[in-house]
Amino acid sequence: MDRTRHWDDVYANRRANEVSWFQRRPALSLELIERLGLPADAACVDVGGGASTLVDELAALGWSDLTVLDVSSRALDVARARLAAAQQPAVADGVHWVCADVTTWVPQRSFDLWHDRAVFHFLVDPEDRGRYRDVLAEAVTAGGHAVMATFADDGPTTCSGLTVRRYSAESLVAEMGEGFELTEARRELHRTPAGVEQPFTWVVLRRR
Ligand SMILES: C[S@@+](CC[C@H](N)C(=O)[O-])C[C@H]1O[C@@H](n2cnc3c(N)ncnc32)[C@H](O)[C@@H]1O
């Protein structure tokens, strides 16, 4: 499967607020991040950030070291243009926009916070999950955190026409390995723009 093509087509053919994962405000991400009590100069990467408004919200809170990574350059263009229009263009220019597949990404620096909402669950190939784990472990500093959300074990079996792998908090923590410890777990019912409820599993992990 050509991931770039798949996701570029999604963002070319649908508005950001029409996709099933759309959130006007990423409330639970913000709540879990706020509870970590990180300083505004902490380094954050939103992996598979797509057109999410998390970057807008964190920038508005004064976060100054933001990276958004996505396999789709179209998704990054949407987020960047929106941020430039909503805040100062310099704010959007200050974000590091990285077009890459997380499973082959070579991070050039480390991060205090890794955020992934609805990306890891697309990795149905064990080798891809292994590569994701390696990148995560390399990118996040000791004592740093990962906030991750996947479809719950009773959630949908597909998203955007792709098969997903579903997780309980326990299975998601186990998947990330010994290098991370669980600090918080949540269950969320996300309501899609079409009104369908999707159960999500959220975990906050701390790098040992
Ligand atoms: C369901 S969307 C979620 C977007 C965003 N995290 C949010 O919560 O609104 C999945 C996103 O992950 C991106 N994506 C999928 N597979 C990826 C991969 N292997 N590496 C990087 N990005 C990926 C897609 O382009 C898309 O933007």
Side-chain angles (χ1 to χ4, degrees), residues 81-108:
R82 185 197 55 231
L83 182 57
Q87 301 185 32
Q88 298 296 322
V91 175
D93 290 343
V95 173
H96 306 287
W97 305 96
V98 179
C99 186
D101 186 319
V102 63
T103 62
T104 53
W105 183 39
V106 181
Q108 302 296 317

Side-chain angles (χ1 to χ4, degrees), residues 102-193:
V102 63
T103 62
T104 53
W105 183 39
V106 181
Q108 302 296 317
R109 51 165 311 182
S110 54
F111 296 89
D112 305 299
L113 175 63
W114 173 287
H115 178 270
D116 167 348
R117 173 175 177 266
V119 185
F120 181 72
H121 65 196
F122 288 108
L123 302 181
V124 293
D125 176 346
E127 287 186 9
D128 279 341
R129 291 200 296 281
R131 282 192 280 267
Y132 179 105
R133 269 193 301 273
D134 290 346
V135 176
L136 170 64
E138 194 181 327
V140 177
T141 47
H145 290 84
V147 174
M148 295 183 65
T150 66
F151 281 159
D153 44 7
D154 59 343
T157 54
T158 62
C159 177
S160 184
L162 302 175
T163 302
V164 302
R165 207 173 141 87
R166 302 176 296 173
Y167 295 90
S168 63
E170 293 72 23
S171 62
L172 188 51
V173 175
E175 191 71 44
M176 291 306 129
E178 288 295 305
F180 289 88
E181 64 182 348
L182 178 71
T183 64
E184 186 157 3
R186 298 281 189 95
R187 176 179 167 86
E188 180 200 29
L189 283 183
H190 166 64
R191 183 174 285 272
T192 71

